[in-house]
């Protein structure tokens, strides 16, 4: 299979390095983006700690923990897809990418089920929020952060699933080889980043002082 080198690059190595550099630059901007929201969350969590504890206890640790395990499994299969790509095994790439996509879809299904449960419990700010405790306004603020953070994460998951679906189609057409696989590798960096974001979200949102829960 010929090495597909775009006209603006001298060789496939320059093209590969440029792709990696571009993705790392993009991920750096994502770190800044999520970091700003995380920083705001931490400030308000310190200001209204007791209320944020109350809000955290409205979340399901079981479902959050299940989704954490699910995403870790998706990272494993994404890594296997990259490993297969490095050896030019397109059939294995397709298999591992499809498994990764199915696991990612399962994560989103569980998350949307959580959202539905919050809606039934009247915990959606700006839509049907009702809380009888003494810290209603601050608990509502916690739920705002919860929906913003997990919603942004879900959007990134959807984008990742779209990218992986495209790569699956290309792999099924044998577009990758041991010499040309950097689209799979670069997509893997993005997918692992999204998984890492959730690794931070789970304890920040679900595990605030669960000793008295």
């Amino acid at each position: 299979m010929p090495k597909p080198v775009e006209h603006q690059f001298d060789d496939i190595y320059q093209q590969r390095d440029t792709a990696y550099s571009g993705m790392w630059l993009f991920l750096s901007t994502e770190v800044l983006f999520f970091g700003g929201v995380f920083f705001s969350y931490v400030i308000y969590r310190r200001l209204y700690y007791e209320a944020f504890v109350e809000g955290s206890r409205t979340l399901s640790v079981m479902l959050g923990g299940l989704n954490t395990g699910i995403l870790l499994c998706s990272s494993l299969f994404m890594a296997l897809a990259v490993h297969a790509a490095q050896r030019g095994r397109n059939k294995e790439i397709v298999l591992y990418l499809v498994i990764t996509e199915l696991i990612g879809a399962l994560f989103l299904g569980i998350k949307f089920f959580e959202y539905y449960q919050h809606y039934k419990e009247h915990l959606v700010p700006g839509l049907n929020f009702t809380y009888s405790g003494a810290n209603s306004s601050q608990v509502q603020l916690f739920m705002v952060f919860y929906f913003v953070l997990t919603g942004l994460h879900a959007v990134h998951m959807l984008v990742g699933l779209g990218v992986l679906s495209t790569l699956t189609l290309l792999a099924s057409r044998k577009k990758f080889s041991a010499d040309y696989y950097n689209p799979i590798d670069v997509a893997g960096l993005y997918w692992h980043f999204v998984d890492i974001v959730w690794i931070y979200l789970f304890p920040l949102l679900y595990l605030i002082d669960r000793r008295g829960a």
Side-chain angles (χ1 to χ4, degrees), residues 119 122-130 140-141 143-144 147:
Y119 174 78
H122 303 284
L123 292 173
V124 182
L127 184 61
N128 68 341
F129 188 86
T130 303
Q140 183 171 201
L141 178 61
M143 295 305 296
V144 168
F147 279 104

Side-chain angles (χ1 to χ4, degrees), residues 188-209:
L189 290 176
Y190 175 84
W191 191 262
H192 294 316
F193 169 78
V194 174
D195 289 357
I196 289 172
V197 169
W198 179 261
I199 296 301
Y200 282 96
L201 285 179
F202 176 59
L204 279 173
L205 296 172
Y206 288 79
L207 301 180
I208 306 177
D209 193 11

Side-chain angles (χ1 to χ4, degrees), residues 174-194:
K174 303 186 184 304
K175 297 294 185 180
F176 303 114
S177 67
D179 294 319
Y180 177 69
Y181 60 86
N182 61 299
I184 304 289
D185 210 358
V186 168
L189 290 176
Y190 175 84
W191 191 262
H192 294 316
F193 169 78
V194 174

Side-chain angles (χ1 to χ4, degrees), residues 51 54-55 58 122-123 128-137 139-140:
E54 292 180 39
T58 66
H122 303 284
L123 292 173
N128 68 341
F129 188 86
T130 303
Y131 187 78
S132 58
N135 300 312
S136 177
S137 297
V139 171
Q140 183 171 201

Side-chain angles (χ1 to χ4, degrees), residues 76-138:
L76 168 63
F77 284 102
M78 187 69 237
L80 290 173
V82 173
H83 182 75
Q86 291 171 340
R87 283 152 181 75
R89 299 172 181 171
N90 281 275
K91 289 184 178 179
E92 291 184 22
I93 295 172
V94 171
L95 173 63
Y96 293 132
L97 286 181
V98 168
I99 294 175
T100 304
E101 293 162 38
L102 291 174
I103 295 174
L106 177 60
F107 173 92
L108 289 175
I110 293 173
K111 175 48 62 184
F112 292 144
F113 173 76
E114 280 191 87
Y115 286 166
Y116 176 65
Q117 291 297 110
H118 299 322
Y119 174 78
K120 290 201 306 181
E121 295 166 1
H122 303 284
L123 292 173
V124 182
L127 184 61
N128 68 341
F129 188 86
T130 303
Y131 187 78
S132 58
N135 300 312
S136 177
S137 297
Q138 291 77 26

